[in-house]
Amino acid sequence: METFFKIFAVVFTLLFGYAIAVQFNDPDAVKWILIYFAAALASVLFLLKKLKSGIYFFLSGFFIMLFILYWPETWEGVQLDHGMKTVNIEEGRESLGSLIAGIVMLVYGFRTRFINRSKI
């Protein structure tokens, strides 16, 4: 089971790294680079077992708050094949990226809490 979580964390470290790489052409690039960097860093720290579960739960709440805040007024999808056509598409992408990060942090939080309890 431990191997699964290591693979999970490596995959999401790479995915968050990719999310950072595709932000450079956005008008709000710095903000989203920092947001995805936090998610990537948390993934690396999960691999290294350096954070307590409470930090992951805090980050999960932060990312889920971003999901709610950036949800577009009108859902137009994410249309990955033709670039950004509208602000709603960009907000949809940002919102869903935040939701994914929030869920991943929740997984890290519960796994970290489970590991710590099993050692008591």
Side-chain angles (χ1 to χ4, degrees):
M1 191 60 137
E2 187 67 26
T3 303
F4 168 80
F5 285 103
K6 286 181 182 180
I7 293 169
F8 181 86
V10 168
V11 167
F12 276 100
T13 300
L14 295 172
L15 289 173
F16 292 136
Y18 175 76
I20 291 167
V22 298
Q23 295 303 316
F24 286 100
N25 65 348
D26 278 6
D28 56 353
V30 173
K31 173 175 56 177
W32 287 98
I33 287 169
L34 292 172
I35 288 168
Y36 286 122
F37 178 77
L41 180 61
S43 293
V44 169
L45 293 173
F46 175 79
L47 280 167
L48 299 173
K49 299 178 182 180
K50 295 290 184 183
L51 293 179
K52 296 184 185 276
S53 61
I55 302 295
Y56 295 116
F57 292 132
F58 172 81
L59 286 170
S60 180
F62 171 74
F63 288 123
I64 290 171
M65 179 191 70
L66 289 177
F67 164 70
I68 293 166
L69 289 174
Y70 282 95
W71 187 257
E73 284 186 28
T74 304
W75 177 254
E76 295 181 35
V78 292
Q79 296 182 349
L80 297 174
D81 56 345
H82 298 336
M84 185 185 79
K85 292 184 178 181
T86 69
V87 172
N88 286 328
I89 291 171
E90 179 66 13
E91 288 178 349
R93 291 177 186 173
E94 291 169 344
S95 182
L96 291 177
S98 298
L99 178 62
I100 291 166
I103 292 169
V104 169
M105 295 304 124
L106 213 60
V107 168
Y108 293 163
F110 281 118
R111 179 61 181 167
T112 303
R113 178 159 291 172
F114 175 75
I115 288 171
N116 289 342
R117 283 199 178 155
S118 67
K119 292 180 181 177
I120 298 175

